[in-house]
Amino acid sequence: MKRKLGAFTRAAVDIHDRLRLLRQDQAVSHLPRESWIECERLTRLQEKAQTHQLQRAERRVRASLLQAIERLSHSLKGVQDSLAPAPEPSLASSVHDIFRDLRSLEDEFEKVTVSLQRSTVSVLTDVIELEGVTLGAFEIVLDWRDLGDTGAYEVVAVESNPAEANSDTTHPHVQSNSLCEGDGRVPIRKALSEGRLFDFFVLVRQILETYNPGSAYVNLQDWYGAECPDCGRTMHEDESSLCELCSTTTCYECTSGCGSCDDRFCSDCIRTCPDCDNSTCSSCLTKCADCDDEFCKGCLHDEVCTDCLARREEENDAERNPETTTRKATTASHHSLQPLCLGEAAVPA
Amino acid sequence: MKILVINNDGGGFADYVDVADGTTVDQLFAKHCQSSNPSNYLIRVNRQPCARDQRLQEGDRISFTPTKIEGAAHDPLTRSSHVSEDRH
């Protein structure tokens, strides 16, 4: 016990020193470039789906675009907040406050560990179960050397029960050991900047004990594998396939490869070439210059489909040899009026 | 008397405030969390669970933390978002 209290004291002194240094530092903001690129990509997909009149695909892409724009707005708001003049922490914890925080964590959590060597304080939560899905206990590990950094802590699943669709997702709001704090972001930042470790750990635990289906890496209803939107079968991580056009995830069996570009597409975005019957994506279909029907590139000859090409040749023949064509047409007309049957002979008119 | 009030809801608030002698936990909660239901908060006095009618003392530290705090899938300022920004 004495040893532990000694570790708590030394940790409290170190954390206090670190916080004092950090108060002079300036936060650096990162613009959400990748979120913007994602919006641009989805806009291009939406235009493509509109051009090819793929209504279901267009609806799906539009929904994804709306979500992406929402994420971009959220990210920009975060950057805007971080650029605003940082208010002086209304509270600066003393070494004694930090020490008492560390001691009180032992009443709140099953296990509290201080590692002076690694400069970490970690606590162990109870087993977390959300909507009938047991996610197990989590270890919240705070590295006080990184205090002031946005990645100062990790949330590590102890007996991990990750989502079937993504083994890095151990909780609807935890991916790769990082918690997306959502509504907890500001109070967590404030608690850390003021050295209120007790509040920090409690805030993180309360987020872990809350499920927000509106913004989860993987929804709990899909935790053991998402349902294929086409056939309704449960998909596992290695059985799913992403449509190259509308980005919908379906099971592998419900996607088809385009015979021209080799990419895979969902049933809404794949078409069939009316000439060769091969699966072809809408991007690889081209309109016949004569009839306006769409064909794969292999079935077009100088931008014209096989039927239209044959028709063109017939028309050209007719122009070149009008008599032969008329005679042929007359004979054909007689034959069609009185076709010869088995055992009959043609009688001259 | 002066006590430290910490409200971990929304934007977060932590400061020393003057309260009348004999103020109870319930009364202070009503003042700082307005129409919220106390059962939706973890209320700690000096980092320990407390009774709602507990009278506060000079120098006490009282904190209100929502029991439910909604996380998200994307957050611009956490490490995860930076990882995903870099990766995609």
Side-chain angles (χ1 to χ4, degrees), chain B residues 43-86:
Chain B
I43 304 176
R44 300 283 187 265
V45 172
N46 299 326
R47 304 170 182 86
Q48 300 296 317
C50 58
R52 288 168 63 168
D53 59 355
Q54 183 176 324
R55 287 182 190 282
L56 296 163
Q57 307 287 318
E58 171 82 28
D60 273 353
R61 174 198 199 270
I62 184 166
S63 63
F64 309 116
T65 307
T67 53
K68 298 285 174 200
I69 307 172
E70 290 193 337
H74 297 274
D75 192 305
L77 300 178
T78 59
R79 174 151 57 191
S80 60
S81 68
H82 289 166
V83 169
S84 74
E85 290 285 323
D86 294 342

Side-chain angles (χ1 to χ4, degrees), chain A residues 124-179:
Chain A
L124 185 69
T125 70
D126 291 334
V127 168
I128 289 175
E129 185 182 316
L130 297 172
E131 307 214 341
V133 177
T134 304
L135 302 165
F138 288 83
E139 194 176 16
I140 308 164
V141 187
L142 173 70
D143 185 335
W144 68 71
R145 288 169 306 189
D146 291 337
L147 275 172
D149 185 351
T150 52
Y153 71 98
E154 285 196 319
V155 177
V156 183
V158 176
E159 285 172 13
S160 179
N161 173 26
E164 186 68 43
N166 186 336
S167 53
D168 286 338
T169 304
T170 52
H171 181 284
H173 308 300
V174 176
Q175 199 168 73
S176 306
N177 296 341
S178 291
L179 173 73

Side-chain angles (χ1 to χ4, degrees), chain A residues 329-346:
Chain A
T330 313
T331 315
S333 149
H334 281 300
H335 285 185
S336 63
L337 279 172
Q338 292 179 323
L340 292 177
C341 297
L342 192 66
E344 288 181 347

